[in-house]
Amino acid sequence: MEGELERTIGTLADVEQARVHLVMPTDSVFLDRQRSAKAAVILRLRHNGLSKDAVVAISRLVSGAVDELKPEDVSIIDADSERSLGLAHDGPGGDQDEEARLTNRLINTLEPVVGTNAIRASVNVDFDEASTDENDEKYDPAVSALLTMQRTEDSAGGTSIPSGVPGTASNIPAAKPAKPAGQTSQQSNTPTAQTSTATSGPSQSSKTESAQYGVNKTIIHTITPAGGIRRISAALLVDDTIVKTTDNKGKVTVTRQKRSQDELNRIQELAEAAIGFDAKRGDTISVQNLSFDSGSTDSCLLYTSRCV
């Protein structure tokens, strides 16, 4: 069963070699002697990481082949980095999962350009573990609006005021006016009529106006949860360009050449777009061209030397 699982897991695109160890369940009439099934899977990957979907697929594959084996009881180890990739390490391994995802994205994006197994990538993601709560109020004195308006108006018209000598005589319509002192009275048979005139008094008016204005105000309430990306650092190692030529006698000549600076700049631009590079956040990325040591006879010659 272990051998069959190793051959099945080895068919995955990102897995170069796999080793599987199974611990079968133990039944006993005593509860303290019962043991559940467990499994350990050691992987040698083609790239620097394994996607989360592949980890889930391997865990379900192994647990489905063994009775009473749960997917979270399957331990998956990366042989190169010695990191645990199993489902039981989802909590503390969240940072590593994000780093592996970005690493795989870089390799999958650049491998068709530079060649198969001609690139190595390493991504470090720095997360912000603290949450923030921020309130921001901004006022614009150039923009104002009318909030309340109150107006009050009072007015009074003219009134008739009696004129004449104050007293009873001035209020009687047919009363004779009093004679001034020092004048002699004369008898007259012609009757005289005494009248009283009235004048108009001054009018009153009052006006009150009250207005309240408010300036433009903007309130921004921002809540940033923990776990945001603070900074991304990436390093890319690119192998030399391999040029194969065939002469008239059918001999194949392999030549390794250094990549130009323009080609490295284009690779860096693709890498920045793949990981979501943000210079304002302080992200950094480094691209270097170095010769890989593959350990085969095809790579025995470097730079301008040749191998047939």
Side-chain angles (χ1 to χ4, degrees):
M1 186 179 297
E2 293 177 349
E4 291 296 331
L5 288 174
E6 292 173 358
R7 285 187 287 271
T8 303
I9 296 174
T11 59
L12 298 178
D14 296 333
V15 178
E16 182 179 355
Q17 186 180 1
R19 290 284 294 171
V20 179
H21 301 278
L22 300 177
V23 177
M24 306 306 293
T26 301
D27 295 331
S28 177
V29 295
F30 301 100
L31 296 178
D32 56 348
R33 295 183 180 180
Q34 291 182 357
R35 297 291 183 270
S36 59
K38 295 182 180 180
V41 180
I42 302 177
L43 303 176
R44 186 174 299 278
L45 304 176
R46 300 184 186 275
H47 306 304
N48 294 339
L50 192 64
S51 63
K52 191 64 179 179
D53 295 337
V55 173
V56 175
I58 294 174
S59 300
R60 293 181 177 178
L61 172 65
V62 177
S63 63
V66 181
D67 293 337
E68 300 181 6
L69 178 59
K70 299 179 181 179
E72 55 269 18
D73 291 335
V74 179
S75 299
I76 302 177
I77 308 298
D78 186 357
D80 295 328
S81 62
E82 298 180 357
R83 292 189 295 109
S84 178
L85 306 176
L87 298 180
H89 297 271
D90 286 349
D95 298 356
Q96 297 178 356
D97 293 340
E98 182 66 17
E99 294 174 355
R101 185 182 67 85
L102 294 177
T103 301
N104 291 334
R105 181 183 295 180
L106 280 176
I107 295 176
N108 295 333
T109 302
L110 298 176
E111 200 171 44
V113 179
V114 300
T116 305
N117 295 329
I119 185 172
R120 297 293 183 271
S122 177
V123 180
N124 182 27
V125 181
D126 185 10
F127 289 92
D128 190 0
E129 302 297 338
S131 61
T132 59
D133 190 350
E134 181 180 359
N135 291 325
D136 187 11
E137 294 187 5
K138 296 180 180 180
Y139 295 89
D140 188 4
V143 180
S144 60
L146 178 62
L147 301 181
T148 60
M149 172 64 74
Q150 182 179 1
R151 290 187 178 93
T152 302
E153 293 184 1
D154 295 332
S155 62
T159 57
S160 297
I161 302 176
S163 62
V165 180
T168 305
S170 62
N171 293 326
I172 298 174
K176 296 180 179 181
K179 295 180 179 181
Q183 294 184 1
T184 59
S185 61
Q186 298 179 357
Q187 296 294 330
S188 177
N189 297 325
T190 304
T192 59
Q194 303 291 334
T195 59
S196 155
T197 60
T199 60
S200 178
S203 62
Q204 297 179 356
S205 177
S206 65
K207 184 178 181 181
T208 303
E209 184 174 346
S210 176
Q212 182 180 0
Y213 293 87
V215 297
N216 186 24
K217 180 176 67 173
T218 303
I219 300 176
I220 301 176
H221 185 201
T222 305
I223 299 177
T224 304
I229 296 178
R230 180 185 301 170
R231 183 177 56 188
I232 297 178
S233 302
L236 292 177
L237 187 62
V238 185
D239 195 8
D240 298 334
T241 302
I242 298 178
V243 181
K244 295 181 180 181
T245 58
T246 305
D247 56 10
N248 297 331
K249 296 181 181 181
K251 295 182 179 180
V252 179
T253 303
V254 178
T255 305
R256 302 175 66 91
Q257 299 178 355
K258 286 293 183 180
R259 301 180 184 270
S260 63
Q261 186 61 40
D262 293 339
E263 186 177 2
L264 294 179
N265 292 338
R266 290 194 296 268
I267 292 174
Q268 182 172 349
E269 291 178 359
L270 291 174
E272 291 177 356
I275 65 174
F277 181 86
D278 189 359
K280 296 180 180 179
R281 189 172 53 192
D283 297 349
T284 58
I285 185 169
S286 176
V287 180
Q288 298 293 332
N289 176 207
L290 297 175
S291 302
F292 287 7
D293 184 10
S294 60
S296 61
T297 57
D298 293 339
S299 61
C300 60
L301 302 179
L302 303 179
Y303 307 116
T304 58
S305 58
R306 295 184 177 182
C307 175
V308 179

